[in-house]
Amino acid sequence: AQSVTQLGSHVSVSEGALVLLRCNYSSSVPPYLFWYVQYPNKGLQLLLKYTSAATLVKGINGFEAEFKKSETSFHLTKPSAHMSDAAEYFCAVSDTTSGTYKYIFGTGTRLKVLA
Amino acid sequence: DTGVSQDPRHKITKRGQNVTFRCDPISEHNRLYWYRQTLGQGPEFLTYFQNEAQLEKSRLLSDRFSAERPKGSFSTLEIQRTEQGDSAMYLCASSTSGRAGTDTQYFGPGTRLTVL
């Protein structure tokens, strides 16, 4: 079965500091991985996705993630945090074994940005 | 592209009542998913439609839950005899049938259900 694990349910960074949100995956087949952001009482918005092309993926709002097969990781980074980045972030893997391609989500990381 | 819409955005009901939620996907998307998100958790898959056919249901979807997608357009999710444990955010997402597994799912704003 495919799964993702997000380490750290809460992360706090100062404004302007590096943002690092961790995601590790487990998959017996090449995974397709996604990062979504959720603002309070809103749906999920795609930040970026890895679909086996370039291992360094650039997304919206200055975020990027690097797929590392050797570490089974897909960590999300942003060089300089902005107050507007405060939100909950979810890592997900597409279930390619069932044929439905449903997403399997991690438990999320709430990012707090300190002034 | 008007995005995925869901109605209502909020629903408060008493235990034992029936509720129905509606999802309107992006018009050309033939894949439609329902997820449930409880506080502090990531969304969990409930059910999947390809066009009008319901092709997978999670074991989370008890017999009190039913979903339809008539004519492959909008979808409804009905919960009968609601229980307090049904309180959650119900999210709908849609996507196209591109390269298998790589399609982006576009999420609606969700329906927040509170069962008293």
Side-chain angles (χ1 to χ4, degrees):
Chain A
Q2 295 170 292
S3 66
V4 291
T5 301
Q6 292 185 243
L7 296 175
S9 58
H10 292 80
V11 170
S12 293
V13 299
S14 298
E15 192 174 19
L18 171 72
V19 175
L20 171 61
L21 305 181
R22 298 178 187 273
C23 174
N24 287 88
Y25 70 88
S26 174
S27 179
S28 57
V29 296
Y32 300 134
L33 296 161
F34 303 78
W35 274 102
Y36 280 81
V37 61
Q38 187 177 34
Y39 297 99
N41 298 314
K42 302 283 188 183
L44 283 75
Q45 180 184 11
L46 180 72
L47 283 174
L48 49 81
K49 64 181 181 181
Y50 169 75
T51 57
S52 75
T55 56
L56 182 62
V57 182
K58 294 187 184 298
I60 62 171
N61 302 337
F63 284 94
E64 63 181 37
E66 187 172 8
F67 175 75
K68 291 187 177 180
K69 185 178 178 181
S70 61
E71 299 177 8
T72 63
S73 69
F74 189 55
H75 300 332
L76 182 71
T77 60
K78 182 174 180 177
S80 176
H82 193 273
M83 297 298 287
S84 61
D85 295 327
E88 188 144 27
Y89 292 79
F90 293 95
C91 180
V93 61
S94 174
D95 179 4
T96 54
T97 61
S98 69
T100 65
Y101 312 115
K102 62 183 181 284
Y103 286 173
I104 300 163
F105 286 90
T107 52
T109 298
R110 185 169 297 277
L111 176 66
K112 187 174 181 179
V113 181
L114 307 170
Chain B
D1 180 355
T2 57
V4 178
S5 61
Q6 292 186 246
D7 184 69
R9 294 290 307 277
H10 303 272
K11 179 70 177 179
I12 300 174
T13 191
K14 293 182 179 179
R15 188 177 55 183
Q17 297 295 305
N18 299 343
V19 295
T20 300
F21 309 142
R22 177 180 170 122
C23 170
D24 286 273
I26 294 171
S27 59
E28 66 270 22
H29 287 184
N30 59 345
R31 296 175 182 267
L32 188 145
Y33 303 82
W34 285 96
Y35 295 86
R36 182 171 69 186
Q37 185 179 21
T38 53
L39 207 59
Q41 298 297 316
E44 294 177 291
F45 169 76
L46 291 178
T47 191
Y48 163 70
F49 289 86
Q50 182 159 337
N51 298 311
E52 66 276 9
Q54 187 176 21
L55 298 183
E56 184 174 343
K57 293 192 292 186
S58 164
R59 57 182 171 78
L60 294 176
L61 215 65
S62 75
D63 56 7
R64 295 185 298 106
F65 288 70
S66 63
E68 295 182 337
R69 193 184 182 195
K71 302 179 183 178
S73 55
F74 70 93
S75 176
T76 58
L77 178 69
E78 180 183 15
I79 310 174
Q80 296 183 327
R81 306 181 303 282
T82 52
E83 302 173 354
Q84 288 184 326
D86 297 331
S87 295
M89 174 79 90
Y90 290 83
L91 294 166
C92 176
S94 69
S95 70
T96 58
S97 294
R99 187 160 68 95
T102 65
D103 300 316
T104 297
Q105 291 182 25
Y106 294 85
F107 284 80
T111 295
R112 182 168 295 285
L113 173 66
T114 302
V115 182
L116 302 176

